[in-house]
Amino acid sequence: MTQPLGSVMLDVEGHTLTSDERELLARPAVGGVILFARNCASPEQVLALCGEIRRVNPHLLIAIDQEGGRVQRLRKGVTRLPPMRALAHCCLGRDCDGCGDDTQSSGLGFARDAGWLLGMEMAAIGCDITFAPVLDIDVAGSTIIGDRSFGTTPEDVIAVGTAFIEGLREAGMAAVGKHYPGHGGIAADTHRERVIDPRPFRELREHDLKPFAALADRLGGVMPAHVIYPDFDARPAGFSPSWLGLLREEFGFKGAIFSDDLGMAAAVAEGEPEVRARLALDAGCDMALVCNDPAAARAVLDSLDGDEQRNAGKRQARLRYGRARPTLEGLAGLSRWRRTHARLEALAASQPLEQVAMPSGLAE
């Protein structure tokens, strides 16, 4: 039987829990924890932290942003992942320089292997999910998406995304696609400002929405963008019953919907922390992320702790890792891991220095 979870995902400050954090994580509305770079010194330390979290509540969902390239919270002791654009180019036979593939056309099996390796490594360090893959299409050279995207066309994103998701599933880990309905058409960063994408809904349907429509039945979770698309709704997508209703009703998505961090600048305009959380949940999110603001976290929990309906979420509970966890030492004994690790490390090393640093303490 699936143990229901609360509707709030929180962060923690360091490598171990404080007494205040243990008290917060035991509250009824808390359903999960997201780990950031500041929480990740080594695989052994992250595994110990996950164990500490589960001793407070064994059912909590533990997540991490581990995509590759600019967004890789744990960098030591696990595979260095290239930007997903570089992986996609190699898989599609466009540019395999540095990845160790002499044929210059490794095919989508490389993306599947990369998803499998990522899922196995994150399971080994104690996480249940990683917020990946990015399914945005890089339309405008977005500073926030850019090379995090598999490509500039729906076809490329769907093809490589499908294989990557299959690999995650082989590892026993659910995929969480982001940032619905598509963040790649604008250059602005929702971490820092209110963002509006003025394109017509028809254009979004024919382009940015295609990966989410095509992959809805393969995803365990979706994270909407804090972007306003005024041709469809005046509210940011993560606060919009219309956008989230489209995802559920037309695309048939049955998994969990996670808000992006409600502390981001693009979300703050919606009101006080508890108001933002309620708006996101009322719009159709299953879990609200409240990060980098302990006072806001307490205000949200005070608002939601007594809401039994909100704290009985089964969709997010189904994303807990259900297999016996591998170990990193055991993975190193597998030829598939060794082969994929070597190719990903080589591809990552061949990439130019990252041009835009991602905020390491924010959800992505």
Side-chain angles (χ1 to χ4, degrees), residues 218-230:
R218 299 170 184 263
L219 294 169
V222 164
M223 179 178 283
H226 286 322
V227 176
I228 299 170
Y229 307 84

Side-chain angles (χ1 to χ4, degrees), residues 198-270:
R199 289 178 295 164
F201 175 69
R202 172 182 50 79
E203 182 178 337
L204 294 168
R205 180 184 284 281
E206 294 173 356
H207 197 262
D208 296 59
L209 278 165
K210 281 188 171 181
F212 295 97
L215 298 173
D217 63 345
R218 299 170 184 263
L219 294 169
V222 164
M223 179 178 283
H226 286 322
V227 176
I228 299 170
Y229 307 84
D231 193 53
F232 189 74
D233 195 331
R235 294 163 288 195
F239 297 104
S240 168
S242 300
W243 276 118
L244 303 188
L246 180 74
L247 179 65
R248 293 248 185 245
E249 294 161 22
E250 182 172 332
F251 299 165
F253 177 66
K254 300 185 186 306
I257 300 177
F258 297 85
S259 83
D260 209 339
D261 179 11
L262 296 179
M264 290 164 60
V268 168
E270 302 304 311

Side-chain angles (χ1 to χ4, degrees), residues 109-275:
F110 187 23
R112 187 166 54 250
D113 287 342
W116 171 83
L117 177 144
L118 174 61
M120 294 294 276
E121 289 191 348
M122 293 304 97
I125 66 169
C127 293
D128 295 298
I129 55 172
T130 176
F131 286 124
V134 167
L135 296 177
D136 305 288
I137 302 166
D138 183 28
V139 179
S142 169
T143 58
I144 197 66
I145 301 301
D147 63 3
R148 297 167 68 194
S149 169
F150 288 123
T152 59
T153 70
E155 293 74 21
D156 285 355
V157 172
I158 291 168
V160 184
T162 297
F164 191 87
I165 290 166
E166 287 175 356
L168 279 170
R169 291 174 66 178
E170 284 181 46
M173 187 165 285
V176 181
K178 56 190 186 185
H179 306 80
Y180 171 82
H183 199 319
I186 47 174
D189 181 355
T190 49
H191 293 95
R192 298 182 171 90
E193 59 187 300
R194 186 171 179 264
V195 174
I196 297 175
D197 187 332
R199 289 178 295 164
F201 175 69
R202 172 182 50 79
E203 182 178 337
L204 294 168
R205 180 184 284 281
E206 294 173 356
H207 197 262
D208 296 59
L209 278 165
K210 281 188 171 181
F212 295 97
L215 298 173
D217 63 345
R218 299 170 184 263
L219 294 169
V222 164
M223 179 178 283
H226 286 322
V227 176
I228 299 170
Y229 307 84
D231 193 53
F232 189 74
D233 195 331
R235 294 163 288 195
F239 297 104
S240 168
S242 300
W243 276 118
L244 303 188
L246 180 74
L247 179 65
R248 293 248 185 245
E249 294 161 22
E250 182 172 332
F251 299 165
F253 177 66
K254 300 185 186 306
I257 300 177
F258 297 85
S259 83
D260 209 339
D261 179 11
L262 296 179
M264 290 164 60
V268 168
E270 302 304 311
E272 294 300 314
E274 60 270 31
V275 173

Side-chain angles (χ1 to χ4, degrees), residues 23 71 79 102 118 147 153 155 158 167 188 208 216 226 242 273 279 285 293 297 303 315 325 344:
E23 180 268 322
V71 183
T79 302
D102 294 333
L118 174 61
D147 63 3
T153 70
E155 293 74 21
I158 291 168
D208 296 59
H226 286 322
S242 300
L279 287 173
C285 289
D293 190 340
S303 171
R315 291 192 185 107
R325 292 185 183 274
L344 290 171

Side-chain angles (χ1 to χ4, degrees), residues 15-34:
H15 294 168
T16 60
L17 297 181
T18 66
S19 57
D20 284 347
E21 287 168 346
R22 282 191 284 272
E23 180 268 322
L24 280 181
L25 297 184
R27 294 181 64 166
V30 178
V33 177
I34 179 171

Side-chain angles (χ1 to χ4, degrees), residues 292-316:
N292 302 296
D293 190 340
R298 287 188 177 278
V300 170
L301 296 181
D302 288 344
S303 171
L304 293 173
D305 267 347
D307 191 332
E308 293 184 9
Q309 182 179 358
R310 291 289 186 214
N311 299 331
K314 291 191 175 180
R315 291 192 185 107
Q316 60 267 39

